Amino acid sequence: MAMLEVKDLHVFYGVIEAIKGISFSVEAGEVIALIGANGAGKTTTLHTITGLIQAKQGEILFEGQNLCKTPPHKIVSMGMAHVPEGRRIFAELSVFANLKLGAYTRHDKHEIDQTLEMVYDRFPRLKERRGQIAGTLSGGEQQMLAMGRALMSRPKIILMDEPSMGLSPLYVSQIFSIIEEIRRSGTTVLLVEQNAKKALEIADRAYVLETGNIALEGDAHMLMENDSVKRAYLGE
Amino acid sequence: MKTRLQRLLPLAGAALLYGVILLLMATKVLPRSYQQMLPTICTYIIMAVSLNLVVGFLGDLSLGHAAFYAVGAYVGGMILRYLTAIPFGVRVIVAIAAAAAVAFVIGGAFLYFVRKLHGDYLAIVTLAFGEFVRSIVKIIPGTGGSAGLTDIPTIAAGAFPIKYIKAFSWSYVIMVISIFLIVNLIRSRHGRAIMAVRDNSIAAASVGINVSRCRIVTFAIAALFAGIAGVLYAANTAAVNPADFDYNVSIEVLVMVVLGGMGNIGGSIIATIILVALPKVLLDAAQYRLLIYAIALIAMMMLNANPRFTAFKRRVSEKTSKFVKSLGRGRD
């Protein structure tokens, strides 16, 4: 059984159909990339999975449970963490408080401290700046904070929305190597990206979204060789 | 990590301040008009600090905090006035508990119904709710209608200065407890959640915070403390009138919060003391009280929008905190 399975998902904004019946699955331990241009429906798909938007039709199964009617705040305790697009950190709170909030649904105080140490080990920069107000961090550091915060809930699967958006090439490489580390530590990753090249490099499988439909799917390295993917997303 | 002792330190400070003020009152060093003002300051501090919880920490603009002040004043005032079988001291406690509970429920229920509203929309609705409560109060039997509720037994009983000492003591103790509870709430895990909702509601939901419930409960807690402040008002003035709770009161309290700094409890306390006491100190200025408020609000908003002023403010606060820390080191 797949860890996360989306079946025939339809999502509307008013009368406009943003997602037109897509289906995909994520197996435990995989990195799955969802690539596509602006307006293809990538963020909408993630928001529907995490309950921020209600689907009109279709099923979202996470470990066999249907998530369609689950409110966003209950998703986290089921083992799914969401790193929202655009570095949505808590700008007026300290780095430490941001990370603590990542563990908001956990009550095992001692183990939370252990997770915090683990996150600090993975992001030494966050440890250095733990007392700093999060809004004063640089863009790359804020993205790391958003990822660290998601890890604080000890998720089975982590959904990342455009982690490379607006970052310098150096930070982009760093963010992607962190995603690989996260996968190595046993967490499944569903990655939504416009940076198709980077995403396909680290993903196992990928789905190409075009105006609310899945246009292509398959092994990530095979997709990199696909002519239409090359032309449309890799600029070759 | 702060130890329990360090957390209790502010309470010791509050007790010391109480002793000093009491001494000034008993020896009549503090003139009568100032003694009379002290319970009002305490009442307004509870109002400002609780409104700050909504405006500064939760990030929702409320223009109707006086509604819950009115609820507390009437519930408390009616209990004090009619339940004469209960001894007075106990009756005050009962009044506070009942007013707090009713204000909490009304505050929570109100936000539950308008939970989809944010920003300007919520602000307008709270403004309307304040006027709504004021009108409803008039038609409830036992409230005295438009003429108001009179002959409320007062905590300011006895001769000068005993009566003011009594009124101040009640108000001060209840104020300190209120501030203590609110500050502890803010520093807790729940407080962090409240600020997370303010900073980014999508991210707050993504870490597992129930954003709607958080807003409803926070608003209800702020209403609860406004209700307690209302009881103090009724018990100090011995009479409450619907006109005492019009939107000007909500705006006055909002000015205190803005002047003291949104999200800054100490600032709210200082701003309240200044804004309540200043017109009394500058006797001739009393008639210009609302003018002073208006100018203060305009000036604060303009200054806070100015990057050079905010940079200056940050420099000053850094220097002050360094100074305070160095004092702490000196003591060790």
Side-chain angles (χ1 to χ4, degrees):
Chain A
M1 187 184 65
M3 180 180 232
L4 178 68
E5 201 165 1
V6 172
K7 287 183 191 164
D8 190 31
L9 193 69
H10 293 261
V11 183
F12 283 76
Y13 288 116
V15 292
I16 298 160
E17 189 170 17
I19 303 291
K20 300 167 183 162
I22 64 168
S23 301
F24 64 93
S25 65
V26 183
E27 302 286 337
E30 278 187 317
V31 172
I32 296 297
L34 216 56
I35 60 176
N38 276 334
K42 305 184 301 288
T43 297
T44 306
T45 306
L46 280 200
H47 280 193
T48 312
I49 295 173
T50 56
L52 289 166
I53 305 174
Q54 292 290 313
K56 181 137 191 188
Q57 198 189 317
E59 273 190 329
I60 300 162
L61 297 174
F62 178 57
E63 296 186 315
Q65 267 183 291
N66 195 342
L67 293 188
C68 277
K69 294 271 180 281
T70 314
H73 62 268
K74 294 221 172 109
I75 300 273
V76 191
S77 42
M78 296 173 74
M80 184 186 283
H82 178 202
V83 184
E85 179 186 34
R87 295 162 228 146
R88 290 178 188 266
I89 50 149
F90 305 120
E92 309 235 346
L93 301 183
S94 68
V95 168
F96 171 77
N98 267 269
L99 291 174
K100 277 287 229 186
L101 275 161
Y104 182 75
T105 51
R106 291 173 58 187
H107 297 279
D108 42 349
K109 200 174 176 311
H110 185 67
E111 287 173 46
I112 289 174
D113 290 341
Q114 284 178 348
T115 315
L116 186 66
E117 282 311 311
M118 188 271 286
V119 170
Y120 279 154
D121 282 346
R122 187 158 287 159
F123 303 97
R125 187 65 67 85
L126 296 184
K127 189 171 187 175
E128 280 167 37
R129 315 221 147 167
R130 69 193 131 184
Q132 199 170 320
I133 296 300
T136 64
L137 297 177
S138 77
E141 289 163 350
Q142 291 188 14
Q143 184 60 50
M144 288 181 182
L145 179 58
M147 291 166 79
R149 189 182 63 199
L151 289 174
M152 286 298 293
S153 66
R154 274 199 313 200
K156 295 175 198 156
I157 183 169
I158 187 160
L159 315 184
M160 292 195 202
D161 200 351
E162 306 263 6
S164 75
M165 191 167 69
L167 297 185
S168 69
L170 193 68
Y171 264 124
V172 172
S173 306
Q174 220 173 327
I175 294 289
F176 277 96
S177 61
I178 290 164
I179 296 172
E180 287 194 298
E181 277 178 41
I182 290 173
R183 185 258 287 275
R184 269 201 295 280
S185 68
T187 307
T188 310
V189 178
L190 175 59
L191 175 66
V192 157
E193 258 300 339
Q194 274 198 62
N195 190 334
K197 187 168 185 296
K198 283 281 183 190
L200 290 176
E201 273 172 18
I202 66 161
D204 298 302
R205 291 186 299 121
Y207 295 85
V208 180
L209 265 179
E210 265 171 22
T211 57
N213 289 302
I214 288 180
L216 280 168
E217 60 177 277
D219 181 85
H221 293 279
M222 302 265 278
L223 282 177
M224 275 175 103
E225 302 303 319
N226 182 298
D227 282 340
S228 60
V229 173
K230 272 187 180 169
R231 226 173 314 134
Y233 301 106
L234 302 176
E236 287 173 15
Chain B
M1 240 21 228
K2 276 194 159 187
T3 62
R4 171 158 289 170
L5 194 73
Q6 274 171 311
R7 274 177 199 275
L8 292 176
L9 210 60
L11 283 186
L16 192 69
L17 182 65
Y18 176 68
V20 171
I21 295 177
L22 219 56
L23 197 68
L24 292 175
M25 289 177 94
T27 54
K28 298 183 189 171
V29 172
L30 203 63
R32 191 190 190 98
S33 63
Y34 285 82
Q35 298 207 7
Q36 202 177 358
M37 198 168 63
L38 289 171
T40 312
I41 292 178
C42 294
T43 310
Y44 267 91
I45 285 176
I46 299 176
M47 285 293 282
V49 170
S50 59
L51 183 63
N52 205 341
L53 193 58
V54 171
V55 177
F57 291 91
L58 184 63
D60 275 325
L61 182 54
S62 168
L63 299 176
H65 208 45
F68 309 109
Y69 191 42
V71 167
Y74 273 97
V75 170
M78 282 160 76
I79 287 174
L80 290 175
R81 171 90 164 71
Y82 299 123
L83 298 185
T84 41
I86 308 171
F88 183 69
V90 182
R91 219 185 315 153
V92 176
I93 306 285
V94 170
I96 288 171
V102 174
F104 180 86
V105 170
I106 293 180
F110 166 70
L111 205 72
Y112 175 78
F113 283 115
V114 301
R115 66 189 182 281
K116 303 270 181 207
L117 302 183
H118 296 266
D120 308 348
Y121 297 93
L122 183 70
I124 300 292
V125 171
T126 54
L127 184 66
F129 186 68
E131 294 306 297
F132 169 79
V133 166
R134 222 157 59 84
S135 317
I136 288 289
V137 155
K138 289 183 196 167
I139 55 171
I140 295 175
T143 59
S146 307
L149 183 67
T150 49
D151 298 325
I152 300 168
T154 169
I155 49 177
F160 173 74
I162 295 296
K163 70 187 258 194
Y164 294 133
I165 287 177
K166 272 192 189 163
F168 170 68
S169 300
W170 272 106
S171 311
Y172 188 81
V173 168
I174 290 161
M175 175 196 79
V176 169
I177 294 171
S178 301
I179 296 172
F180 182 75
L181 292 175
I182 291 175
V183 168
N184 271 298
L185 171 71
I186 289 163
R187 287 191 183 151
S188 73
R189 176 172 163 273
H190 302 292
R192 263 206 293 264
I194 292 168
M195 291 183 270
V197 169
R198 169 195 67 192
D199 281 5
N200 199 314
S201 61
I202 288 188
S206 87
V207 298
I209 296 166
N210 184 342
V211 173
S212 281
R213 200 183 64 187
C214 178
R215 289 176 71 218
I216 292 166
V217 173
T218 309
F219 201 84
I221 291 172
L224 178 154
F225 285 105
I228 292 176
V231 181
L232 284 183
Y233 177 76
N236 269 313
T237 54
V240 291
N241 189 294
D244 302 344
F245 307 102
D246 70 353
Y247 67 89
N248 278 313
V249 177
S250 299
I251 303 295
E252 274 176 42
V253 178
L254 186 66
V255 173
M256 292 161 186
V257 172
V258 172
L259 192 63
M262 285 180 262
N264 181 345
I265 298 288
S268 292
I269 296 171
I270 293 168
T272 306
I273 295 172
I274 292 173
L275 285 177
V276 177
L278 203 61
K280 272 264 163 62
V281 177
L282 313 166
L283 258 182
D284 294 333
Q287 53 184 317
Y288 301 118
R289 190 174 58 108
L290 288 174
L291 183 66
I292 294 171
Y293 282 19
I295 292 171
L297 193 59
I298 294 169
M300 279 323 287
M301 282 315 203
M302 288 182 71
L303 283 172
N304 277 325
N306 184 333
R308 262 194 291 179
F309 177 75
T310 44
F312 166 75
K313 219 168 56 172
R314 200 171 308 130
R315 276 202 306 277
V316 170
S317 77
E318 272 166 17
K319 270 188 191 151
T320 336
S321 65
K322 263 187 203 154
F323 178 66
V324 171
K325 271 183 197 151
S326 71
L327 280 183
R329 270 200 295 278
R331 252 208 319 266
D332 292 337

